[in-house]
Amino acid sequence: MFLLEKLLCFLILVVPILISVAYLTLAERKVMGSMQQRKGPNVIGFLGLLQPLADGLKLLIKETVIPTNANTFSFVFAPVLTLFLSLFGWSLIPFSSNSFYVDIDLSLLFIFAVSSLGVYGIILSGWSSNSRYAFFGSLRSASQMVSYEVSIGLILIIVLVCVGSLNFFSIVLFQEFLFFLVPLFPIFFMFLVSILAETNRAPFDLPEAESELVSGYNVEYASMGFALFFLAEYSSMILMSALTTIVFIGGWISVFSKPFILDSFILAFKLSIILFFFIWVRASFPRYRIDQLMRLCWKVFLPISLSFVLVTFSLLWCFNGVL
């Protein structure tokens, strides 16, 4: 009975996320179409609202092709692992003050660890495909994700130093009177750029560079294998947007009175703004070169974030000493 209850709670958590992923793809195509002065999907269903279901059905009924020289088990397991890790982090995201799946004291560290493990699925897919393009794309993704995890980690350390806790509820309640977005705006901007690179999104989509790598690490995947990678990418986008909302924009906290507006709607609204930033950047900026990407991380973001850690720690230590 206990396992059945936990399974039901997990489905209640995962199914809305998968639906959100499906309609995020539709929103992205609609918004990019508007920005580029063209029409987005508008044929299947009213205003194209059934387009994600049609795309999913198309991928479901297509034939699954496994390359002859591929490692079959690793080839099949890689997209499943990637999707599982992208959904696993959602178990710690609080949607309101009393709506959560799991609450632990090391929530922030756990999310950071789970997001770091996502690179294993991509490396496994590139290696098991036995393709030069796929393997080269997976190596790019590994170097890119590991590099920007250093920057993300230092930025989160700044929040940890200010709050004194890794628990999401403590971080949100600490911002009751002032969001971290205001005093830490440069760090907030660096975090936004870093999560773009961490999720392999444009203009940092070098692991999937079509002009160079013919879709990169997932080039040998079709049907549901490709669909699982697709779902994992967009689920990671929403997860990183939720993390940004909780850490920098106060989560479900709002200036409005609580009886009239639900906490979850406030969180969803803030999260949607971050997702719009993902789409706007993709429609507006050209792709970076790999050397520019690495230079931005190691020669710009790393020194600045490390300096902010030292300055923040010094200021807090001085003021605590005075008080």
Side-chain angles (χ1 to χ4, degrees), residues 131-153:
S131 167
R132 295 178 182 177
Y133 292 114
F135 187 60
F136 192 54
S138 64
L139 290 180
R140 274 190 176 185
S141 179
S143 61
Q144 176 175 325
M145 294 175 74
V146 169
S147 298
Y148 278 87
E149 279 165 8
V150 177
S151 173
I152 291 175

Side-chain angles (χ1 to χ4, degrees), residues 21 53 102 198 224-225 258 275:
V21 166
L53 303 180
V102 177
E198 178 72 11
M224 285 309 296
K258 294 299 176 68
L275 289 175

Side-chain angles (χ1 to χ4, degrees), residues 24-323:
L24 175 60
T25 61
L26 178 64
E28 181 178 34
R29 295 165 71 180
K30 286 280 192 181
V31 172
M32 288 185 65
S34 178
M35 289 181 174
Q36 297 167 356
Q37 295 185 348
R38 60 179 175 82
K39 293 182 179 180
N42 62 348
V43 176
I44 302 179
F46 177 71
L47 297 177
L49 292 178
L50 298 181
Q51 185 67 48
L53 303 180
D55 293 339
L57 181 61
K58 180 198 71 171
L59 291 171
L60 181 63
I61 63 177
K62 287 182 72 173
E63 180 184 2
T64 299
V65 179
I66 299 178
T68 305
N69 296 324
N71 186 308
T72 304
F73 175 77
S74 301
F75 186 83
V76 174
F77 180 66
V80 177
L81 175 64
T82 306
L83 179 63
F84 173 77
L85 291 173
S86 68
L87 294 175
F88 191 53
W90 279 101
S91 59
L92 275 83
I93 296 294
F95 298 97
S96 67
S97 56
N98 56 2
S99 176
F100 56 90
Y101 186 72
V102 177
D103 179 30
I104 61 175
D105 290 335
L106 300 178
S107 304
L108 193 60
L109 182 62
F110 187 87
I111 290 287
F112 186 62
V114 169
S115 65
S116 301
L117 291 174
V119 72
Y120 287 101
I122 293 176
I123 285 288
L124 196 62
S125 68
W127 172 79
S128 62
S129 297
N130 197 25
S131 167
R132 295 178 182 177
Y133 292 114
F135 187 60
F136 192 54
S138 64
L139 290 180
R140 274 190 176 185
S141 179
S143 61
Q144 176 175 325
M145 294 175 74
V146 169
S147 298
Y148 278 87
E149 279 165 8
V150 177
S151 173
I152 291 175
L154 288 173
I155 291 171
L156 294 179
I157 285 175
I158 297 172
V159 176
L160 166 63
V161 169
C162 294
V163 178
S165 173
L166 288 167
N167 183 269
F168 280 144
F169 285 96
S170 301
I171 293 173
V172 172
L173 294 177
F174 192 86
Q175 304 175 69
E176 187 173 0
F177 300 105
L178 181 66
F179 296 160
F180 280 130
L181 171 66
V182 178
L184 300 177
F185 182 77
I187 294 298
F188 170 72
F189 179 75
M190 289 170 53
F191 190 80
L192 285 180
V193 177
S194 297
I195 63 175
L196 282 174
E198 178 72 11
T199 53
N200 298 329
R201 290 288 299 177
F204 307 122
D205 55 341
L206 294 165
E208 303 175 6
E210 293 88 353
S211 58
E212 309 161 31
L213 302 179
V214 200
S215 186
Y217 62 88
N218 58 13
V219 66
E220 299 292 345
Y221 284 88
S223 66
M224 285 309 296
F226 175 79
L228 292 180
F229 275 122
F230 194 76
L231 290 172
E233 177 183 342
Y234 280 81
S235 175
S236 298
M237 277 177 56
I238 304 176
L239 177 63
M240 286 297 165
S241 300
L243 179 63
T244 307
T245 303
I246 290 172
V247 173
F248 288 100
I249 321 180
W252 57 83
I253 293 178
S254 172
V255 296
F256 300 102
S257 58
K258 294 299 176 68
F260 299 99
I261 298 182
L262 296 177
D263 293 346
S264 300
F265 289 158
I266 298 170
L267 179 67
F269 175 74
K270 295 178 180 179
L271 191 150
S272 300
I273 296 175
I274 305 297
L275 289 175
F276 179 81
F277 172 79
F278 274 87
I279 300 171
W280 170 73
V281 168
R282 180 181 177 184
S284 304
F285 292 94
R287 182 181 294 128
Y288 270 45
R289 295 198 313 266
I290 186 67
D291 60 312
Q292 293 174 327
L293 177 74
M294 292 303 171
R295 187 186 306 119
L296 178 66
C297 175
W298 294 106
K299 294 187 177 181
V300 180
F301 281 10
L302 182 61
I304 293 177
S305 56
L306 187 58
S307 301
F308 264 93
V309 170
L310 296 176
V311 170
T312 304
F313 183 80
S314 301
L315 288 175
L316 292 175
W317 182 77
C318 292
F319 280 109
N320 287 334
V322 170
L323 294 176

